[in-house]
Amino acid sequence: MSLIILCIYMFFLQKDEIAYVDSSKIIAEFKGAEEAKKAFEQKTKSWKLNIDSLTTEVQNSIKKYEKDLATMPVKEQQLSKQLLDSKQKQLLDYQNAIRQKAQQEDGKLSQNVVAQINAYLVKYGKSHQYKLILIANQSGTIAYAREGLDITKDVIEGLNNDYTNGR
């Protein structure tokens, strides 16, 4: 009799201990990721404005140089050309530095978001007694999963609740 009860428990009542989440949905719907993206976009907007104003300044200097070139003495032409070349180099250096800074900032924000998600998945997995939570991504790492194993919606809701309450 106890063998029958054990079989019934094992077959019908035992909880699935493996589940998966869709990483692209989590990233798309996690409020922390949305806010990190908005903060990054704000920074890049500011950097772009600085680059645009410096570019305009260099372009105006070029126009002034070209306009005044015919009336300048040779020595002044050479000095103005050197100054102009220096401004152009500074602009290129600044653009490259901002590009690198943007890449680093984006990487740092992405790592922070992924760390928050991973920490929540560990907490969620332990509290729901999962042995394993897999991550499905656009590469198709999970070819098939029985209906009910996708816990993405629950994870997103809990992650967003934790994020909103943890601020």
Side-chain angles (χ1 to χ4, degrees), residues 15-34:
K15 178 182 184 318
D16 288 323
E17 294 177 344
I18 297 175
Y20 75 94
V21 293
D22 183 329
S23 63
S24 59
K25 284 183 184 177
I26 290 176
I27 295 292
E29 297 178 32
F30 174 38
K31 291 177 184 176
E34 290 174 22

Side-chain angles (χ1 to χ4, degrees), residues 8-53:
I8 290 172
Y9 172 77
M10 293 289 287
F11 196 74
F12 292 106
L13 302 176
Q14 190 176 24
K15 178 182 184 318
D16 288 323
E17 294 177 344
I18 297 175
Y20 75 94
V21 293
D22 183 329
S23 63
S24 59
K25 284 183 184 177
I26 290 176
I27 295 292
E29 297 178 32
F30 174 38
K31 291 177 184 176
E34 290 174 22
E35 288 184 16
K37 183 179 178 184
K38 285 178 187 174
F40 180 72
E41 287 172 353
Q42 215 39 43
K43 286 180 182 181
T44 57
K45 187 186 247 184
S46 170
W47 295 330
K48 185 180 178 336
L49 287 173
N50 287 342
I51 288 173
D52 289 348
S53 84

Side-chain angles (χ1 to χ4, degrees), residues 9 19 57 68 74 79 100 115 127 130 145 160:
Y9 172 77
E57 184 181 317
D68 296 342
V74 174
L79 289 173
Q100 282 182 333
S127 69
Y130 283 103
N160 284 333

Side-chain angles (χ1 to χ4, degrees), residues 2-128:
S2 62
L3 183 59
I4 293 173
I5 293 174
L6 181 61
C7 286
I8 290 172
Y9 172 77
M10 293 289 287
F11 196 74
F12 292 106
L13 302 176
Q14 190 176 24
K15 178 182 184 318
D16 288 323
E17 294 177 344
I18 297 175
Y20 75 94
V21 293
D22 183 329
S23 63
S24 59
K25 284 183 184 177
I26 290 176
I27 295 292
E29 297 178 32
F30 174 38
K31 291 177 184 176
E34 290 174 22
E35 288 184 16
K37 183 179 178 184
K38 285 178 187 174
F40 180 72
E41 287 172 353
Q42 215 39 43
K43 286 180 182 181
T44 57
K45 187 186 247 184
S46 170
W47 295 330
K48 185 180 178 336
L49 287 173
N50 287 342
I51 288 173
D52 289 348
S53 84
L54 289 172
T55 301
T56 301
E57 184 181 317
V58 169
Q59 288 171 341
N60 289 338
S61 294
I62 291 170
K63 287 176 186 174
K64 183 176 179 352
Y65 171 77
E66 289 172 347
K67 180 183 163 202
D68 296 342
L69 186 62
T71 60
M72 278 191 241
V74 174
K75 187 77 170 165
E76 194 176 329
Q77 286 178 7
Q78 291 172 344
L79 289 173
S80 293
K81 178 72 171 128
Q82 287 174 350
L83 182 62
L84 196 55
D85 289 345
S86 176
K87 282 185 179 184
Q88 287 176 319
K89 184 182 179 329
Q90 287 174 347
L91 175 61
L92 287 173
D93 291 345
Y94 182 72
Q95 287 172 325
N96 288 333
I98 292 299
R99 197 172 298 116
Q100 282 182 333
K101 185 174 185 169
Q103 287 174 343
Q104 289 171 348
E105 188 72 22
D106 187 39
K108 192 165 75 173
L109 289 172
S110 295
Q111 283 179 332
N112 187 23
V113 167
V114 169
Q116 289 177 53
I117 292 168
N118 287 342
Y120 182 79
L121 285 172
V122 168
K123 183 174 109 177
Y124 185 92
K126 287 179 180 178
S127 69
H128 290 83

